[in-house]
Structure formats: structure tokens, C-alpha cells
Amino acid sequence: MNLIKKVNFPEGKIQHLIESLYKKYPVFELFQDILLKASKIRADKSFSFRDSVVAASALDCDANYLISEDMQDGFILENKLAIINPFI
């Protein structure tokens, strides 16, 4: 969505980017435990569902940092995951 609105990428270029990301990086499925954790994060922290899924996925991967322009900079989730807004 941001590639279309902010960078004006054509759909073909977006499709190529998706294909290259799948070739280069491991991709994991959203299993029940991640979706349930996302639901809890959304209820407890009033995050959007999309942001909750991203945060739950980052926690599931044992990430220490989550870079996002949409979430509150400096927010610490579950005493482990620090949210960083790179534009602040």
C-alpha cells in the first residue's frame, strides 16, 4: 500500500519485489498462536490489528527491535521488543 501511495510503484514492480523477497528471506505462516497473541496485544495496547500481527510476529521471532513509522517510538512491548520510529 505504501509503495503505491508514497512511491508510486507500478503493480508489476511490486510483484517483482514480492517474488525477490520470498527468494531472499525466510517467510513464515501466521499460525494460531501468533494470531492469538496479536489479539491480546490489540486488546491490551489498543494497536491496530495489522500492527498487532506485526508485533506478535516480531515477538515470535525473538526480535529485540521493531522499526515502524506507524507505532509509538520508544514503546517497549512485553519488556522485550522496542519499537523504533526511524523518522523521529
Side-chain angles (χ1 to χ4, degrees), residues 16-87:
H16 176 67
L17 176 63
I18 291 167
E19 290 170 350
S20 66
L21 289 172
Y22 269 78
K23 287 178 185 175
K24 187 173 182 178
Y25 299 104
V27 177
F28 66 96
E29 295 182 44
L30 293 177
F31 292 108
Q32 180 180 2
D33 59 332
I34 293 173
L35 293 173
L36 290 172
K37 182 181 282 275
S39 178
K40 183 173 179 358
I41 291 169
R42 183 177 57 185
D44 293 347
K45 307 299 181 193
S46 299
F47 284 16
S48 71
F49 179 71
R50 183 188 69 173
D51 289 346
S52 297
V53 170
V54 170
S57 298
L59 287 165
D60 188 66
C61 292
D62 293 323
N64 294 315
Y65 302 100
L66 174 59
I67 299 172
S68 172
E69 66 178 299
D70 296 327
M71 294 185 236
Q72 181 183 347
D73 183 64
F75 190 85
I76 307 294
L77 190 57
E78 294 189 4
N79 295 318
K80 178 183 183 218
L81 182 67
I83 297 173
I84 300 169
N85 183 333
F87 300 109

